Amino acid sequence: MSDSSVTSRENSRPAEPPPAADSPAPPDDSCARQEYATDQIVGFWGDMASNWGINRTMAQIYALLYLSGTPQHTDAIMDRLDISRGNANMNLRSLVEWNIVSKTRKTGSRKDFYVAEKDLWEATAQIIRERERREIRPVKEQLQACARHLVREGETLEDRPAEEQEMYGRLQDLIELVEVFESFSKALLPHVRRQNVPAIKRMMTLALTMGEMGDPDANARR
């Protein structure tokens, strides 16, 4: 084989791509590290809250205040999260109503400052209680009102047409499901408030075990 053939094949090979540039490393000085970590946590805290049906901005404000070593005023929160004053005020008001953020004042300043509940167990208990009060309970009451409309006082279910009886049965199934969530929240709440981790784990284990007992395919999947 001639040297010219080897040289020709080598020249025809595609050029190897340049090495990929390294992704930018997190900052190294102490202050920048803290800001970087705060931004990362606030960001994924908002994403996590959205997946759980909680307002993203509300969760981000709580995370920012939780991580802050000092009370923060509205302007600082707006600048850090790049949100409007109306958005900041609305979510701060909600957080105060949920009792997981409190308003305070600083000597020499006319601004309102905010601090987060630093006990995460207490904050979690407050969130459970507020979601039960604001979401689960109203849904149950609305469903019960609809059921009472179908079968009014002095009537029996058998008095109503077959279609209404069927709808009434479906409403009762919905009410029962909502009551399960309501009961679970009420059972869990005192253990969260007392930070009773062993009891919470036992509840979770029991729930998982009962779920597997009712699932004929559970053992087959193991």
Side-chain angles (χ1 to χ4, degrees), residues 25-33:
D28 196 39
D29 63 275
S30 179
C31 182
R33 285 189 188 189

Side-chain angles (χ1 to χ4, degrees), residues 62-133:
Y62 175 79
L64 178 63
L65 294 175
Y66 175 78
L67 295 170
S68 298
T70 58
Q72 300 291 307
H73 57 75
T74 307
D75 292 341
I77 295 170
M78 290 166 51
D79 291 342
R80 189 63 184 269
L81 299 181
D82 192 24
I83 57 177
S84 68
R85 184 174 300 276
N87 195 5
N89 286 334
M90 178 182 66
N91 284 286
L92 282 166
R93 185 163 54 248
S94 296
L95 288 164
V96 170
E97 290 174 355
W98 283 46
N99 291 318
I100 56 176
V101 165
S102 56
K103 188 187 298 187
T104 186
R105 288 291 184 95
K106 278 189 175 182
T107 305
S109 176
R110 300 175 63 182
K111 294 181 178 180
D112 289 327
F113 287 76
Y114 297 89
V115 293
E117 171 61 65
K118 294 297 195 289
D119 184 340
L120 281 180
W121 286 94
E122 179 60 29
T124 302
Q126 286 294 123
I127 291 170
I128 293 172
R129 182 165 54 227
E130 286 298 317
R131 296 204 71 173
E132 188 275 329
R133 183 177 71 85

Side-chain angles (χ1 to χ4, degrees), residues 121 187-188 190-207:
W121 286 94
L188 182 62
H191 297 297
V192 173
R193 295 187 71 91
R194 292 196 294 267
Q195 303 182 24
N196 191 344
V197 177
I200 295 171
K201 287 183 176 180
R202 286 196 297 271
M203 289 177 66
M204 296 300 102
T205 301
L206 177 61

Side-chain angles (χ1 to χ4, degrees), residues 155-167:
E155 296 179 337
T156 64
L157 183 59
E158 290 72 21
D159 295 332
R160 309 309 304 158
E163 295 84 355
E164 292 183 13
Q165 292 184 33
E166 185 177 353
M167 180 180 288

